[in-house]
Amino acid sequence: MMKLTERPEKIILEILEKAGYEAYFAGGCVRECFSGETAGAGDIDIATNALPEEVKKTFGGWKTVDTGIAHGTVTVIMPEDRGRAEITTYRSDGVYGDCRHPDKVEFIGSLKEDLRRRDFTMNAMAMDIRGRLEDPFGGRDDIKGKTVRAVGDAGERFREDGLRIMRAVRFSSVLGFSLEEKTERAAFENRKLLSRISAERLFSEFRKTVTGKDAGKAVRKYTDIIGVFMPELEAMKGFDQRSRYHRYDVLEHCIRAMEAVETTEKNREYMKLAALLHDIGKPQTYCHEDLGRGHFQGHGEKGGEMVKILLRRMKVDAFTTERVSLLVRNHDLMFHRNERLIKELMRKFTPGILLEILAVKKADNIATGNASGPLLEKFDEVGRMIEEITAGGDCYSLDQMALKGDDIKAIGVKEGPLVGRLLEELLEKVIDGELPNEKSSLTEAAQGLYKALKQ
Ligand code: ATP
Ligand code: MG
């Protein structure tokens, strides 16, 4: 990872120093130097004793953005966007009357006082251009000890800004750290404060939490905290499935699915969400027969609806909401090693989404604690078949058919629903292997079908 003192943004600090001000790298980018976080290219935050107006004057020739001018933050963008940084004037935060924003901030002259307002010791460090570390609260030791520790009294700090509770949960997941005892106790005690925090801020922490390397541990341990804004999760906790297929309660099963699900860089976040929420519909669809065995008729369907409501409430973007809901709704899809059936499913869902449903299904099975080797192998083989069909260019959708609507019209069929019906019937035959995907044979078959219909 690139050292902070080798980053192009270093020049921003040099310019501030030359102009007679103090300037330090601060916050997350300093933490990353010691925590082994791979992100590396995280935002650069700079703390300075220059006032916002002075910062803007100093960088008069460069582009600056008033990112949060009232809170002392100006973004400076280097020419040709070779680097950028958020420069914030040393400040102390007043009271957080609404538990979210400081009512008023006060610009101050001391770096140490600025570090004191920050949430955790690991985020309360600063470094100058010579690589000298300012670490008044022992952040470096806490990183070594893998500890999330509030700066000062944890309870007070959480009451100033409740979001910090969820930030602590997020850092424990992403970094694989534990919450220091008093910090953890205060997080639990003050968790109800989260009900006053905006959905956007909460979910931006939660989405990082589920993709963290210790996501399972964090969700398991802090269910009661997350449950304040996601009661759906709390309802899954301790819910006995009364099924010989399952070893775990609904929540533990879902956490294990989240841990097990295979993802790519691109789909990680929504796949983790889908796996964690895949049985969200179970508590509400439960009924049991005389022998005491549990059933959850329609829990996928119900779950898909619940996910939509949940994610909309959390103000999550439409794409993520729709995709997670679709994956949850279909997580019980049946897969067989049968090319024709697989093509039907590829047609219905598209290959990409079908592979995602398959991945959730596999994770679901692993997470029962009872999955057999042959079953898991079957999923892998179905996955390979989907990829082979895609790579081989086999026809499974109308787009790929060698015959188009215009060709149907050319044999004398009038514009209307019949055109589509004929195409669908021909596609069925191509998928079934009854017809090759060739224009001449398809045209002939279309003429035959049309003639039969007319009689
Ligand atoms: P990441 O960028 O990965 O989210 P980060 O630590 O950089 O992590 P930011 O939200 O970018 O987090 O904030 C930058 C710094 O500002 C933090 O390192 C911390 O020092 C301080 N900070 C951010 N949010 C809070 C908060 N709610 N309370 C106190 N300090 C905060
Ligand atoms: Mg940051």
Side-chain angles (χ1 to χ4, degrees):
M1 202 190 68
M2 205 193 300
K3 275 197 190 150
L4 268 184
T5 50
E6 288 165 8
R7 301 221 13 166
E9 294 86 352
K10 180 184 174 185
I11 193 169
I12 298 176
L13 291 90
E14 282 169 350
I15 290 169
L16 282 165
E17 280 198 1
K18 279 217 185 83
Y21 303 110
E22 294 175 18
Y24 290 85
F25 292 108
C29 62
V30 183
R31 180 190 73 233
E32 285 175 4
C33 292
F34 305 103
S35 65
E37 278 162 90
T38 44
D43 315 332
I44 297 286
D45 290 313
I46 292 172
T48 181
N49 62 351
L51 294 168
E53 286 311 318
E54 295 174 324
V55 171
K56 285 171 68 171
K57 212 181 278 165
T58 306
F59 294 96
W62 291 0
K63 189 168 179 219
T64 63
V65 183
D66 293 357
T67 315
I69 202 86
H71 298 108
T73 305
V74 175
T75 301
V76 171
I77 300 163
M78 291 166 61
E80 291 152 29
D81 210 358
R82 271 176 281 141
R84 57 172 68 203
E86 286 200 349
I87 305 180
T88 304
T89 307
Y90 297 161
R91 62 177 219 225
S92 73
D93 296 347
V95 186
Y96 285 66
D98 58 356
C99 290
R100 275 178 287 161
H101 307 291
D103 291 346
K104 69 174 202 305
V105 307
E106 199 183 331
F107 298 134
I108 53 176
S110 143
L111 171 69
K112 172 147 188 225
E113 289 310 304
D114 176 81
L115 294 176
R116 191 189 296 286
R117 74 171 167 89
R118 294 169 186 267
D119 47 7
F120 305 112
T121 59
M122 61 182 173
N123 289 337
M125 299 190 291
M127 187 181 274
D128 71 7
I129 46 173
R130 288 158 287 274
R132 221 166 38 88
L133 185 69
E134 293 288 338
D135 179 18
F137 306 105
R140 206 174 161 179
D141 285 342
D142 280 336
I143 291 173
K144 265 192 207 131
K146 295 181 177 293
T147 304
V148 181
R149 185 193 308 270
V151 172
D153 182 85
E156 268 173 38
R157 304 311 308 283
F158 291 154
R159 285 188 289 279
E160 281 171 1
D161 178 8
L163 183 74
R164 291 171 186 157
I165 296 171
M166 211 32 223
R167 281 175 62 88
V169 170
R170 183 253 288 200
F171 285 119
S172 81
S173 168
V174 172
L175 300 173
F177 286 14
S178 299
L179 270 58
E180 173 273 331
E181 203 184 309
K182 287 198 203 113
T183 303
E184 181 166 81
R185 196 171 334 120
F188 278 114
E189 280 171 5
N190 291 286
R191 66 183 184 279
K192 290 277 149 50
L193 293 173
L194 290 178
S195 60
R196 296 197 237 164
I197 307 289
S198 78
E200 290 92 338
R201 290 179 86 208
L202 287 168
F203 202 80
S204 113
E205 296 300 329
F206 186 68
R207 70 200 320 162
K208 292 176 190 163
T209 303
V210 295
T211 51
K213 63 178 172 202
D214 265 355
K217 223 161 130 185
V219 174
R220 196 175 281 125
K221 202 159 183 192
Y222 302 116
T223 312
D224 295 354
I225 290 173
I226 299 165
V228 173
F229 57 93
M230 254 188 218
E232 293 93 341
L233 216 59
E234 196 101 55
M236 291 151 73
K237 184 169 152 180
F239 201 95
D240 183 351
Q241 314 214 41
R242 292 172 186 270
S243 156
R244 67 197 162 89
Y245 299 112
H246 281 279
R247 280 196 200 166
Y248 310 110
D249 71 25
V250 176
L251 181 63
E252 179 58 27
H253 165 67
C254 286
I255 289 173
R256 283 169 184 261
M258 173 181 71
E259 291 176 314
V261 72
E262 289 166 22
T263 67
T264 62
E265 189 89 43
K266 248 177 103 184
N267 70 16
R268 183 153 308 134
E269 184 183 301
Y270 65 77
M271 291 294 280
K272 295 283 182 186
L273 285 170
L276 176 65
L277 300 173
H278 81 272
D279 276 345
I280 191 177
K282 272 193 171 174
Q284 288 201 28
T285 51
Y286 176 76
C287 62
H288 68 266
E289 53 187 40
D290 292 346
L291 294 169
R293 228 172 348 130
H295 284 288
F296 304 91
Q297 196 88 61
H299 75 275
E301 195 70 36
K302 178 82 197 166
E305 286 167 27
M306 288 175 70
V307 160
K308 244 185 222 175
I309 293 168
L310 161 65
L311 297 186
R312 281 191 189 143
R313 189 180 74 227
M314 299 309 297
K315 310 268 166 56
V316 178
D317 62 279
F319 172 82
T320 306
T321 303
E322 287 305 317
R323 183 60 63 89
V324 176
S325 170
L326 180 148
L327 293 170
V328 169
R329 189 166 62 244
N330 292 290
H331 78 267
D332 249 351
L333 198 67
M334 294 296 272
F335 287 95
H336 303 280
R337 285 188 196 85
N338 176 310
E339 206 174 296
R340 191 177 57 77
L341 294 177
I342 290 174
K343 281 182 183 168
E344 293 281 358
L345 292 177
M346 288 169 73
R347 173 183 174 203
K348 182 166 174 203
F349 293 105
T350 76
I353 292 178
L354 189 62
L355 284 167
E356 289 177 353
I357 296 174
L358 183 70
V360 173
K361 174 120 186 173
K362 184 178 167 192
D364 181 8
N365 276 272
I366 293 172
T368 60
N370 288 324
S372 71
L375 180 65
L376 300 181
E377 268 161 42
K378 180 178 102 171
F379 294 138
D380 290 342
E381 200 183 321
V382 169
R384 278 194 296 276
M385 288 172 75
I386 295 170
E387 267 153 17
E388 274 162 26
I389 293 167
T390 312
D394 279 15
C395 175
Y396 57 83
S397 71
L398 288 175
D399 295 348
Q400 297 165 299
M401 263 217 310
L403 204 72
K404 307 287 175 205
D406 284 344
D407 303 319
I408 299 276
K409 282 181 241 160
I411 63 169
V413 182
K414 271 213 290 292
E415 173 102 47
L418 187 56
V419 176
R421 244 183 70 200
L422 287 169
L423 284 171
E424 296 272 341
E425 268 193 56
L426 292 167
L427 178 60
E428 294 277 325
K429 289 183 192 294
V430 171
I431 290 177
D432 285 350
E434 286 175 34
L435 279 175
N437 188 23
E438 285 164 12
K439 192 164 174 182
S440 57
S441 17
L442 288 171
T443 309
E444 204 175 300
Q447 280 163 336
L449 284 172
Y450 184 46
K451 213 191 241 161
L453 276 173
K454 274 200 301 195
Q455 278 164 6

